[in-house]
C-alpha cells in the first residue's frame, strides 16, 4: 500500500512538474526572505545551556548584580617602561570616555586615586621599611631634582654624588640599581638615541613589582545586536583611538584588544568564514562526486537544485523555530548537505538502474514511478530514523545541540519530501538520462563472496574491535573550556593568554556571594588556605594590615622627605647652554674622584657619558633633556601623594572599588583566583573540588566550564539512549521483525565504538564543536544500514555489487567531502568538528560495507 502510494506521488509530481517547481520556488523565496529578516547568530557559549540549570541561575544572578564585569572590551597595553604604559592607558581612557556613541563606561583598574595614595600601605612591613630607607637615603638627590626637575637638575644631583665621595661619604649600596639605570640612559642619550627614563622603576622599587607588568583599559561598549558582530563598531572606534596615541605611534607602546566582546566577534568571524568556505567547498566537491556517481548532467543538476532548495527551506525553518543560531546549530547547513544528498543519490542511482526485461532502459515516467515504489519507503524509514536521532536531543538542557537537533531533524523530513516530489519533477523537466547500463560494482563480487564465506572470522574481528571500543568509553575526555575551541592566534586570544599568566587577571575565577562582610572575611581566610588557590579578592583586601604601624613608618619618612621634595620655587626650564654647563660641571666633579671608584662602578660610565653630552649639538642635548625627565615631575608628584596616606576603613573605600565587591543590601562578593593554569582541565577540577569543599554555592567562569561538561555529557548520554530506543521502535514498526531491526542497530552501535577507538588513538579531544559527530553518526549510519538490510529483505543477493552499494559509497564520499572541508578551517573548534565527523563517517562506512554483508544471515537464494 505504502509502496504504491509513494510511486503514485512520484508519478504525479513528474506529470505536474512545473507546478511542483513553482511551489518549491515560492517556498524557497519565502525562506530567503524570512532568513534575512529573522535569522541571527550568537557566539555566546553561555547561551548553549538551559537557563533553568541551578549553576546557570547562579551565574546569571552574579552577572545581573555585577553587570560591569560582562560584555567588555579590554585594551592590554605593553610598553618599554611603566610610565609610557600608564600614560597610554590614561590617554586611551580619556579618548574612549569622550566617545559616548560607542562606550558607556571606561575604567583603568590600576590607576585609581585611592590606590595611588595608599600603595605603600599594601607592602609587607619589611619591604616597606627597605623602600622607605632607600627613599630617605636619596633625600639630597631628590631635593635637587624637586627644585630643578630637568636634566640640569639631574646632572647637578649626580655631581653632588662626586662631591660626597670627595668628602668621604660613600654611595649607599641600595642606590646602586638607580645608578646603573642612570648610566644606561645617559649612555643612550650621549650616543644620540635618547630613551625615556623610568623614574618609577628607579624610585618606587618594590612598589613597582606589585604591578602585573602591563596596563589595561576596560570599556563597556554599546553593542549593535542587529550586526553579526555586535561589538564591531566599538572595537573599530577603540582601534582608531589607539592609533592616535603618541607612544603607540612611536612604537614604545603596543596595544592588543581582548575581552568577552572581542572574543565573541572574532569567534563569529572565524566560524562564519569556516562554515561559509566549507559550505561552498562542499557543494562544489559534492558536484564532482555526483559526476562519478550518476555521470549524467541531466541528473546531477536536478540533485544540486534539490539540495540547495532544501537547504533554503531548512534555513527558513531555522529562522522561524529558533531565530538565533549558536556555534553548534550553525553547522546545520553542512549537516543537511552531507546527509540530504544521500537521499537524492539513492533515488537517482536506483533510477538509472531501472531496465526493461530485455535490458534496455525503461521509459523515464515508468522508471520514476518504479523507483519511487522501490526506494521511497526505504528513504522514508531512513529519513524518519535519522530525524528521530536528531530530535532526541531537543529535550536536553544542552541548548546548542538541542537547536541543531530540531533544525536537522526537520531538515531530514524536508529533504525526504524534496527527494520524492521536487527531484522527480526536475528529473522530468531535465529529461534525465538513465544510461546505457545498470549502475553497480560488478568487480566487488569477489569481496561479497569472501565476506559470505568467511563471515565468522570477520565477525570475530569486529566483535573484538567493538569490545575494545566499549572498554575505552570511560577514558573519553570532554574539554568544556570554550577558549580551547577559539583560534589561539587571534589578537583577542593572544592577549587573553598573556593575562592568564598572572593569577590576578586570569579569566578562570570562582565567584561567591555571601550575606555580609563578616562572612566574607571568614570564608576568605578558609579559601586562602587551599593549595589550589593563589589569592582571594574581596573588599577586605583593601583594608591594609598593621595600618597604625605602617602609617607611623610612612609619616616618619614624610616628615623628613616632604620638606625637601616640596620646594618653594622650581627653577625655570634650561636652554642648551645651561644643560651643557651642568653636564660639564658634573663630569668634572665625578672625574675628580675617579681614583676612588671601583672598576665596574656605574659612576665611571656616568662620568664618560656626561663628558660626551657636554660636547653634543644643541638638538641632541635638548632631546636628552626631554627623554631623561619626561616623567620626573609626575613621579615626584606621585611620591608626594603616596607619602600622605590616611587610615582605610570600609567607609573610606571609594564606590568605584567598593561596587566591585559589595552590594547595597550588604551582600559581599569574593573572587577566588586559581594557582596554576586552569586551561589545564585537571587543575580546574582540583580547584573547583577544593573551593566547593569550603562553600558549595561557588559560581563564576570556572564553575561554568566544569558544569557545562557535566551537563553536556549527561545530555548526550540521555539523548543517545533515547535516540537508539526511538530508532529501534521505528525500525521495528517498519520492518516488523526483531531480527531485521537488530541487523540495522548492530552496525550502528559498532560504528560508534570504532569511532571511540579512533578518538582515543589519534587522539582527538571532544569539545563543544565536534560533539555533533554523535547525532551525525546516528543519522548517517542508520540510513546506510537501512538500505542494505531492506535490500536483503527484498532478495538482493550481492550487497556490494548492487546499485545500493554504489549509492552508499558515493553518498559517503559526498558526505565526507562536506564534512572534511571543515577540517581545513582556521577555527580550532570547526576544524576538530571536521576531523571527528570524518572519523565517524569512516567507521560508519566500514561497518556498512564490510560488517553488514558478513552479518546478514545466509538465505537459500544466496550462492555458495
Amino acid at each position: 500500500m505504502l509502496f504504491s502510494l509513494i510511486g503514485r506521488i512520484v508519478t504525479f509530481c513528474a506529470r505536474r512538474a512545473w507546478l511542483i517547481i513553482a511551489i518549491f520556488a515560492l517556498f524557497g523565496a519565502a525562506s530567503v526572505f524570512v532568513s534575512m529578516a529573522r535569522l541571527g547568530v550568537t557566539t555566546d557559549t553561555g547561551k548553549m545551556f538551559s537557563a533553568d540549570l541551578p549553576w546557570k541561575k547562579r551565574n546569571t544572578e552574579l552577572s545581573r548584580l555585577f553587570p560591569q564585569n560582562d560584555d567588555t572590551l579590554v585594551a592590554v597595553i605593553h610598553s618599554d617602561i611603566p610610565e609610557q604604559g600608564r600614560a597610554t592607558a590614561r590617554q586611551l581612557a580619556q579618548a574612549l570616555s569622550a566617545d559616548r556613541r560607542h562606550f558607556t563606561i571606561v575604567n583603568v583598574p590600576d590607576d585609581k586615586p585611592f590606590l595611588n595614595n595608599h600603595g605603600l600601605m599594601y607592602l609587607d612591613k619589611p619591604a616597606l621599611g627597605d623602600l622607605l630607607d632607600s627613599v630617605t637615603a636619596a633625600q639630597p638627590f631628590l631635593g635637587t631634582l624637586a627644585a630643578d626637575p630637568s636634566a640640569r637638575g639631574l646632572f647637578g644631583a649626580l655631581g653632588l654624588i662626586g662631591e660626597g665621595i670627595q668628602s668621604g661619604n660613600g654611595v649607599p649600596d641600595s642606590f646602586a640599581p638607580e645608578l646603573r639605570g642612570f648610566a644606561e640612559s645617559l649612555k643612550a642619550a650621549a650616543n644620540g638615541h635618547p630613551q625615556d627614563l623610568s623614574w618609577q622603576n628607579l624610585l618606587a622599587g618594590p612598589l613597582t613589582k606589585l604591578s602585573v607588568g602591563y596596563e589595561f583599559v576596560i570599556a563597556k561598549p554599546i553593542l549593535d545586536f542587529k550586526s553579526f558582530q555586535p561589538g564591531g563598531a566599538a572595537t573599530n572606534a577603540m582601534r582608531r583611538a589607539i592609533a592616535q596615541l603618541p607612544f603607540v605611534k612611536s612604537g614604545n607602546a603596543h596595544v592588543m584588544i581582548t575581552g568577552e566582546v572581542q572574543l565573541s566577534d572574532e569567534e563569529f568571524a572565524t566560524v562564519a568564514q569556516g562554515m561559509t568556505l566549507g559550505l561552498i567547498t562542499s557543494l562544489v566537491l559534492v558536484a564532482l562526486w555526483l559526476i562519478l556517481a550518476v555521470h549524467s548532467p541531466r541528473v546531477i543538476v536536478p540533485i544540486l537544485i534539490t539540495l540547495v532548495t532544501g537547504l533554503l527551506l531548512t534555513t527558513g525553518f531555522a529562522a522561524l523555530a529558533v531565530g538565533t543560531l549558536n556555534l553548534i546549530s550553525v553547522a546545520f547547513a553542512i549537516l543537511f548537505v552531507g546527509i540530504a544528498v544521500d537521499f537524492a543519490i539513492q533515488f537517482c542511482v536506483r533510477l538509472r538502474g531501472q531496465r526493461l526485461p530485455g535490458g534496455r532502459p525503461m521509459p523515464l515516467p515508468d522508471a520514476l514511478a518504479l523507483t519511487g515504489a522501490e526506494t521511497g519507503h526505504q528513504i522514508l524509514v531512513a529519513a524518519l530514523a535519522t530525524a528521530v536521532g536528531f530530535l532526541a536531543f531537543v529535550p536536553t538542557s544542552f541548548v546548542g545541540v538541542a537547536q541543531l537537533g530540531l533544525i536537522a531533524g526537520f531538515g531530514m523530513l524536508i529533504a525526504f519530501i524534496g527527494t520524492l516530489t521536487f527531484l522527480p519533477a526536475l528529473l522530468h523537466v531535465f529529461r534525465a538520462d538513465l544510461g546505457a547500463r545498470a549502475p553497480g560494482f560488478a568487480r566487488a563480487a569477489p569481496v561479497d563472496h569472501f565476506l559470505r564465506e568467511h563471515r565468522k572470522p570477520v565477525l570475530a574481528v569486529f566483535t573484538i574491535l567493538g569490545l575494545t571500543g566499549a572498554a575505552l568509553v570511560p577514558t573519553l575526555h570532554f574539554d568544556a573550556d570554550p577558549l580551547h575551541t577559539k583560534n589561539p592566534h587571534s589578537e583577542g586570544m593572544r592577549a587573553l593568554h598573556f593575562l592568564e599568566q598572572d593569577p590576578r587577571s586570569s579569566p578562570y575565577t570562582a565567584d561567591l556571594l555571601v550575606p555580609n562582610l563578616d562572612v566574607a572575611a571568614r570564608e576568605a581566610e578558609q579559601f586562602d588556605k587551599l593549595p589550589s588557590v593563589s589569592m582571594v579578592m574581596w573588599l577586605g583586601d583593601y583594608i591594609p594590615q598593621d595600618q597604625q604601624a605602617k602609617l607611623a613608618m610612612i609619616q616618619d619618612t614624610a616628615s623628613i622627605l616632604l620638606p625637601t621634595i616640596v620646594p618653594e620655587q622650581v627653577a625655570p626650564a634650561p636652554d642648551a647652554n645651561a644643560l651643557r654647563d651642568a653636564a660639564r660641571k658634573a663630569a668634572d666633579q665625578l672625574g675628580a674622584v675617579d681614583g676612588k671608584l671601583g672598576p665596574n662602578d656605574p659612576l665611571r660610565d656616568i662620568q664618560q657619558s656626561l663628558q660626551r653630552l657636554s660636547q653634543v649639538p644643541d638638538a641632541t642635548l635638548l632631546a636628552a633633556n626631554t627623554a631623561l625627565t619626561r616623567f620626573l615631575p609626575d613621579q615626584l608628584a606621585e611620591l608626594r601623594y603616596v607619602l600622605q596616606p590616611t587610615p582605610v576603613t570600609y567607609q573610606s573605600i571609594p564606590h568605584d572599588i567598593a561596587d566591585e565587591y559589595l552590594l547595597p543590601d550588604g551582600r559581599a562578593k569574593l573572587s577566588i583566583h586559581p594557582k596554576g593554569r586552569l586551561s589545564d582541565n585537571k587543575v580546574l577540577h582540583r580547584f573547583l573540588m577544593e573551593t566547593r569543599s569550603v562553600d558549595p554555592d561557588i559560581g563564576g567562569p570556572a564553575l561554568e566550564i566544569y558544569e557545562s561538561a557535566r551537563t553536556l555529557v549527561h545530555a548526550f548520554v540521555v539523548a543517545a539512549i533515547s535516540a537508539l530506543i526511538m530508532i529501534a521502535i521505528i525500525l521495528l514498526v517498519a520492518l516488523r521483525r526483531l531480527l531485521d531491526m537488530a541487523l540495522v542497530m548492530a552496525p550502528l552501535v559498532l560504528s560508534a565504538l570504532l569511532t571511540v577507538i579512533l578518538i582515543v588513538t589519534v587522539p582527538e579531544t571532544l569539545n563543544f564543536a565536534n560533539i555533533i559527530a554523535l547525532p551525525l553518526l546516528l543519522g548517517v549510519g542508520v540510513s546506510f544500514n537501512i538500505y542494505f538490510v531492506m535490500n536483503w529483505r527484498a532478495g538482493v543477493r550481492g550487497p556490494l555489487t548492487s546499485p545500493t552499494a554504489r549509492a552508499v559509497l558515493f553518498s559517503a564520499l559526498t558526505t565526507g567531502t562536506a564534512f572534511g572541508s571543515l577540517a581545513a578551517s582556521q577555527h580550532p573548534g570547526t576544524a576538530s568538528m571536521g576531523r571527528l565527523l570524518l572519523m565517524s563517517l569512516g567507521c560508519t562506512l566500514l561497518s556498512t560495507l564490510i560488517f553488514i554483508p558478513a552479518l546478514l544471515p545466509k538465505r537459500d537464494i544466496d550462492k555458495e
Side-chain angles (χ1 to χ4, degrees):
M1 180 71 174
L2 178 63
F3 300 174
S4 60
L5 175 62
I6 294 177
R8 289 196 298 272
I9 291 174
V10 170
T11 301
F12 173 82
C13 292
R15 290 177 178 175
R16 302 289 188 273
W18 288 109
L19 173 63
I20 300 300
I21 292 173
I23 292 173
F24 272 85
L26 180 63
F27 278 100
S31 296
V32 171
F33 175 79
V34 171
S35 301
M36 294 178 64
R38 297 191 53 172
L39 192 62
V41 178
T42 178
T43 57
D44 184 357
T45 56
K47 295 183 179 179
M48 287 200 290
F49 293 91
S50 171
D52 295 328
L53 292 166
W55 59 269
K56 192 67 178 174
K57 289 181 178 179
R58 200 177 309 154
N59 278 358
T60 301
E61 180 68 3
L62 282 169
S63 296
R64 185 185 69 82
L65 295 173
F66 299 94
Q68 65 270 31
N69 299 324
D70 293 333
D71 295 330
T72 59
L73 286 172
V74 182
V76 182
I77 302 168
H78 306 258
S79 57
D80 295 341
I81 60 174
E83 290 93 333
Q84 292 170 342
R86 179 58 58 87
T88 300
R90 288 173 174 173
Q91 293 162 359
L92 178 59
Q94 184 178 6
L96 299 183
S97 296
D99 185 359
R100 309 309 299 176
R101 178 182 176 188
H102 296 105
F103 303 97
T104 58
I105 302 173
V106 181
N107 178 28
V108 184
D110 292 335
D111 186 26
K112 298 181 183 294
F114 175 85
L115 297 177
N116 295 335
N117 184 214
H118 294 84
L120 295 177
M121 300 280 287
Y122 299 107
L123 294 175
D124 293 334
K125 286 175 66 176
L128 175 60
D130 292 341
L131 175 59
L132 294 177
D133 290 343
S134 176
V135 174
T136 302
Q139 179 192 14
F141 190 86
L142 293 174
T144 302
L145 293 175
D148 187 0
S150 67
R152 177 181 58 196
L154 173 60
F155 299 159
L158 292 171
L160 290 177
I161 294 176
E163 288 187 357
I165 295 174
Q166 185 72 26
S167 61
N169 295 321
V171 180
D173 292 339
S174 61
F175 203 54
E178 287 81 356
L179 290 179
R180 283 192 290 270
F182 289 134
E184 293 174 3
S185 297
L186 289 171
K187 183 177 180 180
N191 290 331
H193 304 291
Q195 299 174 356
D196 289 344
L197 180 61
S198 176
W199 291 93
Q200 180 177 326
N201 286 336
L202 293 174
L203 300 179
L207 194 60
T208 300
K209 297 179 182 179
L210 291 177
S211 66
V212 294
Y214 53 84
E215 297 282 345
F216 54 96
V217 178
I218 302 177
K220 188 91 170 174
I222 297 174
L223 302 178
D224 178 12
F225 291 102
K226 295 180 180 179
S227 170
F228 284 128
Q229 293 178 287
T235 303
N236 291 335
M238 180 178 281
R239 292 193 192 283
R240 290 192 296 269
I242 291 170
Q244 300 302 315
L245 302 176
F247 289 117
V248 172
K249 288 183 177 181
S250 66
N252 297 113
H254 305 277
V255 184
M256 293 189 294
I257 301 176
T258 186
E260 184 179 352
V261 172
Q262 171 72 359
L263 292 173
S264 294
D265 285 352
E266 286 179 346
E267 182 89 342
F268 174 79
T270 51
V271 169
Q273 181 182 11
M275 289 295 178
T276 303
L277 179 62
L279 182 58
I280 295 173
T281 303
S282 63
L283 286 173
V284 172
L285 294 179
V286 162
L288 295 178
W289 285 121
L290 288 174
I291 293 175
L292 297 176
V294 296
H295 300 296
S296 172
R298 294 178 180 272
V299 177
I300 295 171
V301 174
I303 291 177
L304 292 177
I305 294 176
T306 302
L307 200 60
V308 172
T309 304
L311 179 58
L312 294 178
L313 294 176
T314 304
T315 305
F317 170 79
L320 294 174
V322 301
T324 301
L325 302 173
N326 56 54
L327 289 176
I328 292 180
S329 59
V330 74
F332 83 88
I334 301 291
L335 284 181
F336 181 88
V337 171
I339 300 179
V341 71
D342 169 66
F343 299 161
I345 289 177
Q346 289 291 337
F347 187 91
C348 291
V349 168
R350 296 284 286 275
L351 174 69
R352 287 174 60 81
Q354 302 298 349
R355 292 293 184 273
L356 294 171
R360 293 182 295 105
M362 187 177 294
L364 182 58
D366 297 338
L368 286 171
L370 185 58
T371 301
E374 289 181 349
T375 66
H377 65 290
Q378 294 182 359
I379 296 175
L380 173 61
V381 174
L384 289 175
T386 305
V388 164
F390 284 121
L391 292 173
F393 291 86
V394 173
T396 68
S397 298
F398 188 19
V399 177
V401 172
Q403 280 190 2
L404 178 67
L406 178 65
I407 299 169
F410 277 89
M412 294 303 96
L413 301 180
I414 292 172
F416 165 73
I417 294 171
T419 301
L420 294 184
T421 57
F422 190 45
L423 180 59
L426 291 171
L427 291 170
H428 178 81
V429 170
F430 279 81
R431 299 178 182 177
D433 180 14
L434 300 189
R437 60 179 181 177
F441 290 127
R443 295 181 181 179
V447 180
D448 255 331
H449 180 72
F450 176 85
L451 293 175
R452 304 302 293 168
E453 289 300 311
H454 301 86
R455 61 191 304 263
K456 291 184 178 180
V458 172
L459 292 177
V461 170
F462 277 106
T463 300
I464 294 172
L465 290 175
L467 293 174
T468 303
L472 291 175
V473 168
T475 67
L476 290 179
H477 169 67
F478 182 79
D479 183 359
D481 190 341
L483 297 180
H484 291 170
T485 64
K486 301 180 187 293
N487 182 359
H489 304 297
S490 68
E491 177 186 8
M493 283 301 297
R494 285 187 289 113
L496 190 66
H497 285 312
F498 183 80
L499 294 180
E500 186 191 351
Q501 296 174 9
D502 190 287
R504 285 169 288 187
S505 55
S506 171
Y508 303 94
T509 61
D511 299 327
L512 178 64
L513 198 60
V514 296
N516 52 59
L517 289 172
D518 292 334
V519 177
R522 291 197 300 269
E523 298 217 356
E525 184 177 358
Q526 296 181 58
F527 285 124
D528 272 326
K529 296 177 182 178
L530 298 176
S532 63
V533 172
S534 170
M535 63 191 306
V536 181
M537 295 293 296
W538 66 293
L539 193 60
D541 284 331
Y542 292 91
I543 308 294
Q545 296 180 353
D546 300 323
Q547 282 198 70
Q548 294 305 317
K550 292 178 181 178
L551 283 170
M553 294 169 65
I554 296 171
Q555 288 169 359
D556 287 344
T557 301
S559 64
I560 298 171
L561 200 59
L562 284 180
T564 305
I565 62 175
V566 184
E568 294 182 1
Q569 187 174 358
V570 177
D575 58 15
N577 290 330
L579 292 170
R580 184 172 288 106
D581 291 342
R584 185 182 298 112
K585 180 179 178 181
D588 292 343
Q589 289 170 316
L590 291 174
V593 297
D594 183 70
K596 298 182 180 182
L597 302 178
N600 297 320
D601 196 311
L603 287 173
R604 288 184 179 277
D605 293 331
I606 291 174
Q607 192 274 336
Q608 293 174 7
S609 297
L610 288 170
Q611 188 66 43
R612 292 178 59 192
L613 280 169
S614 67
Q615 300 170 4
V616 298
D618 290 357
T620 302
L621 198 54
L622 291 172
N625 176 62
T626 300
L628 292 171
T629 62
R630 184 191 303 275
F631 299 111
L632 176 58
D634 289 341
Q635 191 60 41
L636 289 172
E638 290 190 16
L639 180 58
R640 290 191 287 267
Y641 192 41
V642 80
L643 287 173
Q644 303 178 73
T646 57
V648 180
T649 64
Y650 286 121
Q651 291 72 29
S652 67
I653 298 175
H655 285 295
D656 60 342
I657 294 176
D659 289 347
E660 294 286 334
Y661 301 100
L662 191 65
L663 294 172
D665 61 8
R667 285 182 293 172
K669 187 183 81 168
L670 296 90
S671 289
I672 305 133
H673 294 253
K675 185 180 296 181
R677 297 177 67 92
L678 260 69
S679 53
D680 181 341
N681 286 279
K682 293 181 180 179
V683 177
L684 170 67
H685 180 76
R686 183 170 63 252
F687 173 68
L688 277 173
M689 291 304 99
E690 291 185 3
T691 52
R692 294 176 92 173
S693 69
V694 175
D695 195 314
D697 291 329
I698 286 291
L703 177 75
E704 183 141 355
I705 292 172
Y706 175 75
E707 290 292 349
S708 295
R710 293 185 58 192
T711 303
L712 186 146
V713 170
H714 179 265
F716 267 85
V717 170
V718 172
I721 294 174
S722 302
L724 289 174
I725 293 174
M726 288 188 287
I727 289 173
I729 293 173
I730 289 176
L731 293 175
L732 191 59
V733 171
L735 303 178
R736 297 187 300 278
R737 287 174 54 186
L738 190 62
L739 173 64
D740 294 353
M741 180 200 73
L743 291 175
V744 175
M745 297 296 292
L748 190 62
V749 175
L750 176 65
S751 59
L753 296 176
L754 294 179
T755 303
V756 170
I757 295 176
L758 282 183
I759 291 173
V760 175
T761 304
V762 170
E764 185 72 49
T765 301
L766 297 175
N767 56 48
F768 280 120
N770 62 27
I771 198 70
I772 68 167
L774 179 55
L776 168 76
L777 179 66
L778 296 175
V780 174
V782 75
S783 297
F784 290 174
N785 300 344
I786 285 172
Y787 300 141
F788 270 78
V789 172
M790 294 187 77
N791 283 342
W792 172 78
R793 280 166 51 99
V796 174
R797 293 183 178 182
L800 297 183
T801 60
S802 67
T804 298
R806 180 184 182 89
V808 165
L809 177 61
F810 281 101
S811 291
L813 291 174
T814 52
T815 304
T817 297
F819 300 143
S821 62
L822 299 177
S825 172
Q826 293 183 351
H827 183 260
T830 304
S832 68
M833 181 194 304
R835 293 192 300 269
L836 193 54
L837 288 173
L838 278 177
M839 285 191 283
S840 65
L841 182 63
C843 294
T844 298
L845 192 62
L846 181 66
S847 298
T848 301
L849 296 182
I850 305 298
F851 180 62
I852 287 182
L855 182 66
L856 293 174
K858 286 187 177 182
R859 301 160 300 181
D860 294 339
I861 62 173
D862 292 328
K863 293 181 180 179
E864 297 296 331

